């Protein structure tokens, strides 16, 4: 689905030239959920911006299979407070000039499937943080992207809500058969949600290690995965890989 090859980014700052990413390569298979984790400031969100086409790399290339359509889910839900939930969901289709009736029908199907139908005419301020994040994901899905990018998508939530919403969002992504790349600083979150975890070094970022996350009992929900005996082993290995003191 995605092939990142020899990616590099250098930019100018007040302190001079900064090499953020150096010769970074990895691939993501169709239907895979991959997390990217690394030390704070190593360029994880910058990487997502390059994959999304928002920031041109200094060198290297990113290739996509299919039409390369991308949905981007940010830390905050970014729902417009003056639009109802249903009208928020249709925003992307409106901006892209897509068929309004078809988008509305798909949005209604997603609202019904994922438990927000009765809240369709409410405003974002009337919903809980978890429900708003669910609405934000559905808004992204309405445009039918092949690839989902999640940038610290649960970090704005309190811990208990974060666990429940991560479980919820994971189930939706799996059910819809989407390919996903998630950036997170939370090792437990990465292990519990992902098929693979890519660990980056401190800046300039390169791939330090890659973990295929498997459980002998099979993959259940993210909450269930946290209870599996292999979970702690993955957590400790990734913790040691991250240069937390640098």
């Amino acid at each position: 689905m995605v092939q990142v090859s020899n990616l590099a980014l250098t930019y100018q700052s007040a302190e001079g030239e900064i090499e953020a990413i150096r010769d970074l390569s990895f691939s993501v298979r169709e239907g895979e959920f991959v997390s990217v984790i690394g030390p704070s400031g190593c360029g994880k969100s910058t990487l997502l911006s390059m994959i999304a086409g928002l920031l041109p790399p200094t060198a290297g290339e990113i290739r996509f299979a299919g039409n390369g359509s991308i949905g981007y889910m940010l830390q905050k839900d970014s729902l417009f407070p003056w639009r109802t939930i249903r009208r928020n969901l249709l925003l992307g289709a409106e901006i892209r000039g897509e068929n309004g009736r078809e988008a509305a029908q798909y949005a209604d199907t997603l609202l019904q499937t994922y438990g927000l139908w009765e809240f369709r005419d409410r405003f974002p301020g009337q919903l809980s943080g978890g429900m708003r994040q669910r609405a934000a994901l559905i808004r992204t899905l309405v445009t039918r992207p092949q690839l989902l990018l999640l940038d610290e998508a649960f970090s704005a939530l309190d811990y208990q809500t974060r666990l429940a919403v991560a479980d919820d969002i994971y189930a939706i992504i799996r059910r819809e058969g989407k390919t996903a790349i998630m950036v997170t600083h939370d090792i437990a979150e990465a292990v519990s949600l992902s098929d693979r975890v890519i660990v980056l070094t401190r800046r300039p970022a390169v791939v330090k290690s890659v973990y295929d996350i498997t459980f002998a009992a099979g993959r259940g929900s993210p909450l269930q995965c946290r209870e599996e005996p292999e979970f702690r082993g993955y957590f400790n290995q990734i913790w040691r890989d991250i240069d937390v003191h640098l």
Side-chain angles (χ1 to χ4, degrees):
M1 173 64 74
V2 185
Q3 179 68 53
V4 175
S5 301
N6 308 114
L7 205 65
L9 179 71
T10 301
Y11 62 90
Q12 294 294 327
S13 74
E15 291 75 34
E17 193 173 78
I18 302 295
E19 187 181 15
I21 292 174
R22 175 193 296 168
D23 197 27
L24 195 151
S25 299
F26 65 91
S27 62
V28 180
R29 297 182 290 271
E30 184 174 1
E32 194 174 22
F33 195 119
V34 172
S35 286
V36 179
I37 195 165
S40 179
C42 74
K44 300 184 293 295
S45 294
T46 299
L47 172 62
L48 280 197
S49 294
M50 287 193 285
I51 294 174
L54 302 175
L55 185 65
T58 305
E61 63 176 348
I62 303 168
R63 293 178 295 187
F64 301 93
N67 61 23
S69 58
I70 294 172
Y72 207 147
M73 188 171 173
L74 303 171
Q75 295 180 23
K76 296 184 178 180
D77 57 70
S78 299
L79 298 170
F80 288 158
W82 60 87
R83 294 177 69 118
T84 64
I85 294 302
R86 188 173 186 272
R87 290 191 62 224
N88 264 291
L89 266 55
L90 296 174
L91 182 62
E94 290 176 17
I95 293 172
R96 293 166 61 137
E98 296 175 350
N99 184 298
R101 179 177 297 179
E102 182 179 328
Q105 289 175 343
Y106 187 43
D108 287 347
T109 297
L110 292 172
L111 283 166
Q112 291 168 355
T113 302
Y114 298 117
L116 286 178
W117 177 251
E118 64 181 290
F119 303 99
R120 64 191 181 280
D121 295 322
R122 303 274 184 92
F123 292 93
Q126 298 175 293
L127 273 62
S128 68
M131 293 174 72
R132 290 198 300 269
Q133 283 298 93
R134 196 190 315 168
L137 176 62
I138 294 173
R139 178 187 56 192
T140 304
L141 294 175
V142 168
T143 60
R144 300 180 188 271
Q146 288 189 321
L147 174 66
L148 286 174
L149 303 178
L150 295 88
D151 188 358
E152 302 278 8
F154 316 119
S155 63
L157 304 171
D158 65 78
Y159 182 71
Q160 287 184 320
T161 302
R162 180 173 182 156
L163 291 177
V165 171
D167 232 46
D168 197 15
I169 297 299
Y170 175 85
I172 294 173
I173 290 172
R174 288 301 194 193
R175 181 166 179 171
E176 296 298 317
K178 298 300 180 182
T179 305
I181 302 175
M182 179 178 73
V183 156
T184 180
H185 66 275
D186 188 318
I187 299 173
E189 188 172 86
V191 173
S192 64
L193 281 135
S194 308
D195 299 306
R196 274 191 301 145
V197 176
I198 297 171
V199 183
L200 302 184
T201 66
R202 63 192 178 110
R203 194 174 63 197
V206 298
V207 175
K208 183 169 188 176
S209 52
V210 180
Y211 292 91
D212 291 308
I213 308 298
T214 59
F215 300 97
R219 174 167 286 280
S221 71
L223 283 174
Q224 290 169 336
C225 289
R226 289 172 182 257
E227 301 298 322
E228 296 298 332
E230 297 91 346
F231 177 85
R232 180 174 294 276
Y234 288 126
F235 184 101
N236 290 338
Q237 290 176 55
I238 294 170
W239 173 261
R240 286 193 293 268
D241 276 352
I242 296 175
D243 297 323
V244 293
H245 301 298
L246 298 175

